[in-house]
Amino acid sequence: MMNQILFAGVIGLFLTLVGTPLLIKLLARKGYGQYIRDDGPREHASKRGTPTMGGIAFILATVAAYFLSKVITGKPPTFSGLLVLGLMVGMGMVGFLDDYIKIVKRRSLGLRAKAKMAGQLIVGIAFAVLSLQFADSRGQTPASTKLSFITDFGWTIGPVLFVVWALFMILAMSNGVNLTDGLDGLATGASVLVFGAYTFIGVWQFQESCANGDTLTNPGACYEVRDPLDLAVVSSALMGACLGFLWWNTSPAKIFMGDTGSLALGGVLAGLAICSRTELLLAILGGLFVLITMSVVIQVGSFRLTGKRVFRMAPLQHHFELKGWSEVLVVVRFWIIQGICVIVGLGLFYAGWAADK
């Protein structure tokens, strides 16, 4: 059954390695280039006109890799896998509309704020409501109405509060990845590391699933997750697809993911956390996205309260650029930070299992 994970990752990698340059040529031919903010770092002016909406490449590659892995292994899709993929595609469509309007109207702002929020809310609510349906033979649905860290804990918050909580996670992560996507390869490389972590988590949860009964090595710490192995398949497909896209997106980038990609990645990260019962752990596994989002919150809050800025520019990566760090230096050091976050997150995940042994 683990072959699904290998096939999904390899196919996703191959499709973006081969498919992304074809997308670059198509977007360049149509003149779908990136619009650069006038108030950004001056070095970014040279990026004006670089093809954008590259998220199309890894979204399509991920979906294709998932279903091809199912065809090759003869395994059926699961509701958890389909819901997470649906969330990614839905958020990607909202981002695509945003990118398309930016290009057509030649401005840095695409969809109106209310329209963009409405699109995200529709997709998020649909995912949250559907994730509480489709119970399996053991009564497990893709999501749970309990809060979770490394597994469910506490009291049931009920379906209404769960929808609100799921929306918060989806909006927070999608906007977090969007803010991180300001330097060549930064958001893509960071996402690869988190998807790698969720591939491991899915495999581990499958091996230690409460459904396995007598084969458990630690019966006291089994996982009540509906389709953990299929979540690992989705994560592997995403990891491979993003890694292939990174080949073309790293400095100097030949293509940008745009809001098409950043909203899709943020949404699917939230979906994986919700369906794997690791909601609060995502704040650690995706620590770089949280850090960069908080830099914007601090900058805006400080300016409104005191009229002073904490950073030379927000998001945080641009602050270090203005301090004289090269773009590549910022990206690599931020990848290291993200790698540390993943190591800490996986350490906590394993510690939670070992503590109950």
Side-chain angles (χ1 to χ4, degrees):
M1 296 183 73
M2 298 300 177
N3 287 342
Q4 298 178 68
I5 298 172
L6 177 61
F7 286 136
V10 171
I11 293 171
L13 173 64
F14 175 77
L15 289 177
T16 47
L17 278 175
V18 174
T20 303
L22 300 178
L23 180 62
I24 292 172
K25 292 179 181 179
L26 175 63
L27 294 173
R29 189 180 307 124
K30 290 183 174 293
Y32 290 174
Q34 179 71 32
Y35 185 94
I36 303 297
R37 304 167 42 180
D38 292 329
D39 59 343
R42 285 176 294 180
E43 293 80 3
H44 289 202
S46 61
K47 300 182 181 185
R48 183 174 281 108
T50 301
T52 188
M53 296 194 292
I56 295 171
F58 57 73
I59 291 173
L60 293 179
T62 298
V63 174
Y66 175 81
F67 284 106
L68 285 173
S69 71
K70 296 298 180 181
V71 172
I72 293 171
T73 59
K75 303 297 181 181
T78 67
F79 286 113
S80 296
L82 293 176
L83 279 172
V84 172
L85 288 175
L87 177 60
M88 176 187 68
V89 172
M91 295 297 288
M93 290 176 65
V94 175
F96 175 82
L97 289 174
D98 192 43
D99 286 333
Y100 186 77
I101 292 173
K102 289 176 186 176
I103 293 167
V104 171
K105 296 192 175 183
R106 298 290 177 182
R107 65 182 192 183
S108 59
L109 297 176
L111 281 172
R112 301 295 180 189
K114 289 183 179 179
K116 189 174 182 179
M117 178 63 71
Q120 291 176 297
L121 289 175
I122 291 170
V123 174
I125 290 173
F127 168 81
V129 171
L130 291 174
S131 67
L132 295 179
Q133 313 303 317
F134 310 112
D136 62 10
S137 58
R138 301 176 61 251
Q140 291 294 322
T141 55
S144 167
T145 54
K146 290 184 177 181
L147 295 177
S148 60
F149 180 49
I150 55 176
T151 187
D152 286 341
F153 69 87
W155 297 280
T156 300
I157 61 176
V160 175
L161 286 179
F162 167 76
V163 170
V164 174
W165 169 240
L167 279 175
F168 170 78
M169 287 191 62
I170 293 167
L171 293 174
M173 284 309 300
S174 60
N175 288 303
V177 177
N178 184 253
L179 290 170
T180 304
D181 182 37
L183 300 181
D184 295 354
L186 178 57
T188 310
S191 297
V192 167
L193 294 171
V194 187
F195 291 134
Y198 270 110
T199 302
F200 171 83
I201 287 172
V203 171
W204 189 272
Q205 289 179 333
F206 172 72
Q207 293 175 337
E208 300 297 328
S209 172
C210 296
N212 291 341
D214 298 336
T215 64
L216 292 172
T217 59
N218 184 9
C222 64
Y223 298 97
E224 292 286 7
V225 178
R226 190 190 190 283
D227 305 297
L229 185 64
D230 214 40
L231 294 177
V233 174
V234 173
S235 300
S236 178
L238 280 160
M239 179 173 60
C242 286
L243 196 58
F245 181 75
L246 182 61
W247 182 272
W248 305 102
N249 180 234
T250 195
S251 183
K254 303 298 183 183
I255 189 171
F256 299 138
M257 70 169 68
D259 281 16
T260 305
S262 60
L263 295 188
L265 291 180
V268 77
L269 282 171
L272 287 169
I274 291 168
C275 290
S276 64
R277 312 293 204 270
T278 56
E279 295 161 358
L280 297 179
L281 185 64
L282 179 59
I284 299 173
L285 291 173
L288 180 65
F289 304 126
V290 175
L291 178 65
I292 287 176
T293 301
M294 289 307 300
S295 73
V296 175
V297 173
I298 292 170
Q299 183 85 326
V300 173
S302 175
F303 187 75
R304 288 183 176 177
L305 292 174
T306 68
K308 297 180 179 179
R309 292 179 173 85
V310 176
F311 307 106
R312 295 188 180 185
M313 186 177 181
L316 188 61
Q317 61 268 32
H318 298 318
H319 166 78
F320 289 103
E321 277 193 291
L322 294 179
K323 286 191 67 175
W325 291 19
S326 69
E327 180 175 10
V328 172
L329 181 62
V330 175
V331 170
V332 172
R333 285 182 173 173
F334 275 39
W335 281 350
I336 293 171
I337 292 172
Q338 178 56 58
I340 293 171
C341 291
V342 165
I343 291 171
V344 172
L346 289 178
L348 290 172
F349 178 79
Y350 178 78
W353 176 83
D356 293 326
K357 194 167 183 178

